[in-house]
């Protein structure tokens, strides 16, 4: 019926956002016990009742749908007299994940002020130029408030980003962004970033530090090349 149909979209997006926040919360446990969240997610996904989709730890969800639909569903429930605590926890976990990643960067650099940080990825997900509720933009703004000098690159979202980001350096490619940077952050999982020439990248960086905010890399080969690798819930960093 019509009422059921109206709830389907809200319920579906809320459930997917819940999966993302769950795996992000789990990533923090993995960091504490030495487990790898990618292996944990793979094992969970083998259970057909759970499935592998949307079990990707990172810097939090964004976009035009999930944040808006979560807020709307919480509001609808409140008006109906139901305190939708699960969704409030999903929203709070997503907000806290951004702070968690920021703290990882702080722990790696010790002092953020006056450090040059390269951020690869501005759109909230790959294959789009959509910056709405982008976790990358939130992270950049937080780093800028700490006094960092920010250099950025995204394959599609650069023009839109120029309207919303101030006092950052926009670069033509990942290597230009990495030049003399103290830290390289992967904020969006573009395929282009998965295929970087890491030997070339290391020569560009002032410090061979990668914060993999989307867990797109295997830490072992990067460590062999001399990189310091920081992932999200990888445990074996």
């Amino acid at each position: 019926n019509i009422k059921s149909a109206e709830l389907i979209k809200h319920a579906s997006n809320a459930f997917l956002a819940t999966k993302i926040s769950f795996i992000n919360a789990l990533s923090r446990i993995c960091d504490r016990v030495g487990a790898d969240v990618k292996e944990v997610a793979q094992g969970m996904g083998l259970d057909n009742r759970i499935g592998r989709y949307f079990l990707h730890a990172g810097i939090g969800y964004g976009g035009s749908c999930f944040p808006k639909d979560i807020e709307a569903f919480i509001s609808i429930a409140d008006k109906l007299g139901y305190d939708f605590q699960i969704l409030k926890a999903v929203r709070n976990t997503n907000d806290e994940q951004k702070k968690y990643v920021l703290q990882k960067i702080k722990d790696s650099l010790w002092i953020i002020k006056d450090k040059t940080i390269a951020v690869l990825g501005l759109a909230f997900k790959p294959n789009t130029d959509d910056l709405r509720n982008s976790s990358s933009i939130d992270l950049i703004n937080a780093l800028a408030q700490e006094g960092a000098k920010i250099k950025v690159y995204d394959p599609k979202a650069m023009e839109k980003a120029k309207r919303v980001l101030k006092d950052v350096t926009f670069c033509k490619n990942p290597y230009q962004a990495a030049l003399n940077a103290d830290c390289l952050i992967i904020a969006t999982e573009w395929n282009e970033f998965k295929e970087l020439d890491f030997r070339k990248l290391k020569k560009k960086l002032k410090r061979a530090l990668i914060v993999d905010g989307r867990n797109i890399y295997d830490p072992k080969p990067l460590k062999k090349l001399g990189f310091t690798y920081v992932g999200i819930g990888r445990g074996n960093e």
Side-chain angles (χ1 to χ4, degrees), residues 81-116:
Y82 177 68
D83 184 6
F84 214 146
Q85 294 186 43
I86 291 176
L87 289 192
K88 291 178 181 179
V90 167
R91 177 187 60 192
N92 294 340
T93 298
N94 194 58
D95 292 339
E96 288 298 321
Q97 189 71 3
K98 299 172 188 177
K99 298 176 185 176
Y100 182 64
V101 175
L102 178 63
Q103 188 59 51
K104 275 181 167 282
I105 298 167
K106 288 183 179 181
D107 291 343
S108 300
L109 288 174
W110 289 92
I111 298 172
I112 298 290
K113 184 175 173 58
D114 295 328
K115 293 288 174 57
T116 299

Side-chain angles (χ1 to χ4, degrees), residues 118-132:
V119 180
L120 300 187
L122 299 171
F124 83 92
K125 67 177 182 180
N127 304 314
T128 181
D129 63 355
D130 196 341
L131 299 174
R132 286 176 291 181

Side-chain angles (χ1 to χ4, degrees), residues 20-205:
I20 295 170
S21 282
F22 179 84
I23 200 67
N24 279 336
L26 195 60
S27 73
R28 303 189 207 180
I29 302 298
C30 289
D31 277 338
R32 285 165 171 77
V33 303
D36 188 333
V37 73
K38 293 197 75 170
E39 293 181 356
V40 174
Q42 183 180 6
M44 291 173 62
L46 294 174
D47 188 329
N48 290 331
R49 297 169 301 175
I50 299 172
R52 184 65 180 85
Y53 294 108
F54 286 84
L55 289 178
H56 299 285
I59 61 176
Y61 62 74
S64 61
C65 291
F66 285 0
K68 172 177 62 68
D69 283 2
I70 291 291
E71 291 296 336
F73 212 0
I74 290 172
S75 178
I76 289 168
D78 282 341
K79 290 177 181 178
L80 294 171
Y82 177 68
D83 184 6
F84 214 146
Q85 294 186 43
I86 291 176
L87 289 192
K88 291 178 181 179
V90 167
R91 177 187 60 192
N92 294 340
T93 298
N94 194 58
D95 292 339
E96 288 298 321
Q97 189 71 3
K98 299 172 188 177
K99 298 176 185 176
Y100 182 64
V101 175
L102 178 63
Q103 188 59 51
K104 275 181 167 282
I105 298 167
K106 288 183 179 181
D107 291 343
S108 300
L109 288 174
W110 289 92
I111 298 172
I112 298 290
K113 184 175 173 58
D114 295 328
K115 293 288 174 57
T116 299
I117 298 177
V119 180
L120 300 187
L122 299 171
F124 83 92
K125 67 177 182 180
N127 304 314
T128 181
D129 63 355
D130 196 341
L131 299 174
R132 286 176 291 181
N133 295 297
S134 169
S135 296
S136 177
I137 301 297
D138 291 340
L139 184 60
I140 289 168
N141 287 333
L143 290 168
Q145 287 180 357
E146 295 278 345
K149 301 172 183 177
I150 310 294
K151 303 171 73 178
V152 301
Y153 170 74
D154 186 282
K156 286 188 177 182
M158 298 285 275
E159 290 304 314
K160 284 188 176 181
K162 290 175 182 177
R163 304 172 199 163
V164 298
L165 288 176
K166 306 300 180 184
D167 299 322
V168 306
T169 301
F170 292 91
C171 301
K172 295 180 180 179
N173 56 61
Y175 305 103
Q176 187 183 74
L179 185 63
N180 296 322
D182 297 283
C183 174
L184 179 73
I185 301 172
I186 305 297
T188 310
E189 59 273 35
W190 286 93
N191 285 333
E192 178 180 342
F193 303 155
K194 299 175 184 178
E195 301 166 356
L196 294 175
D197 182 337
F198 290 103
R199 286 182 172 84
K200 178 179 178 181
L201 192 68
K202 189 182 177 187
K203 292 177 181 178
K204 299 288 185 181
L205 288 164

Side-chain angles (χ1 to χ4, degrees), residues 1-8:
N1 62 36
I2 292 175
K3 293 298 182 183
S4 299
E6 289 174 344
L7 280 174
I8 287 172

